Amino acid sequence: MSKWTERLKETKLVKGVIYAIVGVFSYPGLCIINKLKISGTENIENLPKQNVLFVSNHQTYFADVITFLHIFCAVSWRKKNRLGIPFYLLWPFTRVKYVAAEETMKNNWISKLFTLAGAITVKRTWVKDGKEVRRNLDPSDTRKIERALQSNWIITFPQGTTKAFAPGRKGTAFIIKHHRPIVVPVVINGFWRAFNKKGLKFKKRGTLLSVTFKAPLEINYDDTTENILEQVMDAIEQSRKFMLKGKHHHLAHTH
């Protein structure tokens, strides 16, 4: 891709048009077909416009991120813990990027379009002997994220998978330790029940979708990456101590 195309892709106009298209089509699924409960937006309304990292658990490829974009735009229009009528799509908050697996974003025209909304694509897997092997972020991917942090909010999913209670990846902790962003933990629920894995088709209508923004973490940036990662996984309620509670919660809703 040429530098000119890259620059065009980054303009507020192009991103704004993509946000508006994605927003108009996704809004009914979040607020009419299902019910969206937002809490904690007071923790994000006065954040700086750069060097902020949102860390979240992950339940679908696209619906989670799309919901975050709706909320960030609504908050920029001074809405508290609600979306209301999406007038915010007329002038969206576009200084947001999100970390996504390169192989996911090449799948179809929808994912390619959504890449323009601010994807930082990273190589999460490689194929060895016909099998996919998972890995941590490689240095070039880490640099991409660090560069983006200089002028954006970044959304990342430390588990890199939609599987509940999967271990977190050290790449996230490495970025926190070396770039020292404000780290805002987010806990989501209901998306796995309402949508398919990609988050583009409905599985169960009338589902309560919840998004909770917690207060920014107090992090000792000089701590080890292991300890920082443990703090992050606790904050997004995906650590070992939440596992038993989580399994019980999931079972209660699948019977």
Side-chain angles (χ1 to χ4, degrees):
M1 200 179 279
S2 71
K3 280 186 180 176
W4 187 85
T5 316
E6 277 292 334
R7 272 197 214 109
L8 183 67
K9 197 177 84 172
E10 288 299 313
T11 61
K12 187 174 174 67
L13 177 65
V14 170
K15 284 180 83 174
V17 169
I18 302 294
Y19 274 42
I21 294 167
V22 173
V24 164
F25 282 103
S26 57
Y27 180 85
L30 298 175
C31 298
I32 300 168
I33 294 165
N34 294 296
K35 294 171 196 154
L36 180 62
K37 182 189 174 195
I38 307 164
S39 48
T41 58
E42 65 278 3
N43 292 315
I44 66 173
E45 55 193 19
N46 295 313
L47 291 172
K49 298 289 188 289
Q50 69 284 326
N51 210 28
V52 178
L53 187 69
F54 290 86
V55 290
S56 175
N57 61 315
H58 200 19
Q59 296 190 343
T60 73
Y61 291 166
F62 298 113
D64 314 6
V65 172
I66 290 169
T67 306
F68 286 10
L69 298 180
H70 273 284
I71 295 169
F72 294 159
C73 293
V75 168
S76 76
W77 279 55
R78 302 280 179 265
K79 292 180 188 279
K80 294 179 189 295
N81 293 323
R82 67 189 184 90
L83 296 186
I85 298 165
F87 291 124
Y88 51 78
L89 293 173
L90 296 170
W91 190 256
F93 176 73
T94 57
R95 287 179 69 167
V96 185
K97 288 182 174 282
Y98 62 96
V99 180
E102 198 173 81
E103 55 272 20
T104 305
M105 302 315 286
K106 285 180 177 172
N107 274 349
N108 53 45
W109 70 269
I110 294 176
S111 57
K112 284 174 184 169
L113 174 75
F114 199 50
T115 302
L116 298 176
I120 303 170
T121 54
V122 297
K123 296 179 285 295
R124 281 260 168 80
T125 60
W126 80 95
V127 177
K128 184 182 176 184
D129 302 328
K131 289 183 182 174
E132 269 196 355
V133 182
R134 305 195 72 78
R135 68 175 177 195
N136 279 312
L137 292 177
D138 75 19
S140 65
D141 289 336
T142 306
R143 282 194 295 275
K144 271 192 220 172
I145 296 166
E146 290 182 339
R147 271 199 306 273
L149 270 171
Q150 290 168 15
S151 54
N152 296 276
W153 288 0
I154 306 284
I155 304 162
T156 189
F157 303 97
Q159 291 161 294
T161 172
T162 55
K163 190 169 180 260
F165 305 107
R169 291 162 187 251
K170 280 188 188 170
T172 302
F174 178 85
I175 287 160
I176 293 168
K177 182 175 171 64
H178 290 275
H179 215 68
R180 305 191 170 210
I182 294 168
V183 179
V184 180
V186 191
V187 178
I188 64 169
N189 205 4
F191 290 84
W192 62 275
R193 201 178 297 119
F195 300 99
N196 68 348
K197 194 172 181 178
K198 284 187 178 171
L200 298 172
K201 289 182 181 170
F202 298 116
K203 209 162 70 177
K204 187 169 187 282
R205 292 163 187 257
T207 302
L208 177 64
L209 310 171
S210 68
V211 180
T212 303
F213 294 93
K214 297 185 176 182
L217 293 177
E218 290 182 21
I219 295 173
N220 172 9
Y221 296 106
D222 297 319
D223 209 339
T224 62
T225 50
E226 288 80 8
N227 286 349
I228 290 171
L229 183 60
E230 192 179 335
Q231 185 182 1
V232 166
M233 298 308 286
D234 266 352
I236 65 171
E237 300 179 11
Q238 291 293 301
S239 60
R240 195 166 287 167
K241 71 177 171 190
F242 285 93
M243 196 182 281
L244 288 172
K245 201 166 33 169
K247 278 184 180 168
H248 170 74
H249 174 80
H250 280 275
L251 285 171
H253 286 283
T254 51
H255 288 307

